[in-house]
Amino acid sequence: MTVLFDSGIRTGADILKALCLGAHAVLVGRPAIYGLAIDGKNGAKAVLQGLLADLYASLGLAGMHSIKQCDRSMIRRVPYGGDVKAMM
C-alpha cells in the first residue's frame, strides 16, 4: 500500500519523521499556499526551497546521507509528562 502523509507539515524535521515512520511521500499544501498568497509563484517557490533546505539540514543532523536511509530505527519515542496524563 502506498502511504501519503498530509497533515501539519511545517518543517523539514516533520518531513523526515513522516518518511521514517513509513510514508512514501509527504504532501505540503498550506505552507506553499501561504507563500503563494504573499508573493505568487516566487513565494511558493521560496517556501518549498526553504523546506528542502531544512530537510537536508535535518538529514545531516540525524547522520543520514539520503532519504533512502529513512526507516523506523532512525527515530525514537521520548516520553514526557503529557503522555502519562493522556493514558489515564
Side-chain angles (χ1 to χ4, degrees):
M1 174 185 329
T2 301
V3 177
L4 303 177
F5 188 85
D6 183 24
S7 180
I9 297 296
R10 299 290 182 268
T11 66
D14 294 336
I15 295 170
L16 186 60
K17 287 184 272 187
L19 293 172
C20 285
L21 287 171
H24 292 94
V26 177
L27 307 175
V28 180
R30 194 173 298 178
I33 296 300
Y34 290 158
L36 185 66
I38 292 170
D39 193 25
K41 178 181 174 182
N42 292 331
K45 184 176 177 180
V47 167
L48 295 175
Q49 286 175 334
L51 273 173
L52 278 175
D54 192 28
L55 173 60
Y56 294 139
S58 296
L59 278 170
L61 290 170
M64 291 186 262
H65 299 289
S66 75
I67 296 291
K68 292 179 182 179
Q69 293 178 297
C70 291
D71 65 7
R72 194 174 284 270
S73 70
M74 297 304 292
I75 59 174
R76 64 186 169 113
R77 181 172 172 77
V78 179
Y80 61 98
D83 286 346
V84 174
K85 292 178 185 177
M87 288 184 206
M88 296 180 153

